[in-house]
Amino acid sequence: MRKWAVIYSSVTGNTKKIAEAIAEAAESVDIFRVQEAPADLSSYDIVAIGYWLRLGQPDALTLKYLAQVENAKVVFFQTHGAAPDSEHAITAFARAGYNLGAGCEILGTFGCMGKINPEMIARRKAAGADDPHGGKEAHERWERAASHPDEQDLAAAQELVGRMEHKLDLREKYLARQAAKMAEC
């Protein structure tokens, strides 16, 4: 297996749980809070970067760090109060990728719901029905998110490691075949 760096930002513990699940599944891994993550990632084959969402994008600490990440194979993982397949969640992956430094390749993504910071819920409860973060639908979403990440989310995060390893194995085999074909010409 390849050497992984797992880097995360977490306030409520959601993203930390996912980071730990990913790290547990990787055979060779170093795990860092984003505040302590190395600037030089050249000794890692895969860099998994996890964050919570703020205003539809990675939190401020992660955004600052992403700009420093260069020439890396990156896997994003995120936790949020929205459905994992929502436009909000998908757009956040794009925003994370946009903020990466030069020469990076995004190998894959993983997202799951996570319990929302109680302070945020208290502020949102005062929002009117026309506020996208208020109303009955939001309250139902907050209740669904409160039980995440759950065991199924953690297992899926661990499966991500195998999928990314397999993806790189297939690519290496393909590139070796292409190089052999070019050598025959």
Side-chain angles (χ1 to χ4, degrees):
M1 290 194 92
R2 293 163 180 85
K3 177 83 174 186
W4 285 66
V6 177
I7 300 162
Y8 70 92
S9 176
S10 190
V11 173
T12 61
N14 298 328
T15 312
K16 181 180 180 185
K17 285 180 184 177
I18 298 299
E20 290 170 344
I22 290 170
E24 186 179 314
E27 287 183 17
S28 179
V29 63
D30 293 322
I31 186 168
F32 308 95
R33 289 179 359 151
V34 71
Q35 300 92 316
E36 299 150 359
D40 180 6
L41 297 167
S42 61
S43 64
Y44 297 99
D45 300 304
I46 300 173
V47 178
I49 302 173
Y51 48 85
W52 52 280
L53 298 188
R54 174 86 175 113
L55 302 173
Q57 62 187 3
D59 65 274
L61 285 174
T62 303
L63 281 176
K64 184 177 177 184
Y65 184 74
L66 288 173
Q68 301 172 39
V69 177
E70 295 185 344
N71 303 311
K73 290 178 176 57
V74 176
V75 174
F76 288 129
F77 61 100
Q78 63 186 23
T79 60
H80 41 74
D85 60 352
S86 68
E87 183 176 346
H88 179 74
I90 293 166
T91 302
F93 283 127
R95 289 181 177 138
Y98 179 79
N99 282 281
L100 276 172
C104 289
E105 176 183 352
I106 301 168
L107 294 178
T109 61
F110 174 82
C112 73
M113 292 185 95
K115 63 185 167 294
I116 301 168
N117 188 332
E119 293 173 12
M120 174 133 353
I121 289 178
R123 287 194 304 267
R124 296 292 188 200
K125 283 185 177 178
D130 61 339
D131 184 310
H133 299 291
K136 182 182 178 192
E137 182 180 309
H139 288 263
E140 291 170 354
R141 186 170 32 84
W142 300 338
E143 286 180 30
R144 283 192 312 275
S147 63
H148 292 271
D150 60 17
E151 290 303 316
Q152 187 175 1
D153 297 325
L154 299 176
Q158 289 182 324
E159 290 169 7
L160 174 72
V161 173
R163 286 196 320 272
M164 296 302 102
E165 293 278 352
H166 181 68
K167 184 183 242 183
L168 286 177
D169 288 343
L170 290 176
R171 181 185 348 189
E172 287 171 4
K173 289 176 186 175
Y174 171 78
L175 292 174
R177 284 193 309 269
Q178 292 301 103
K181 286 181 184 178
M182 294 300 284
E184 291 174 0
C185 295

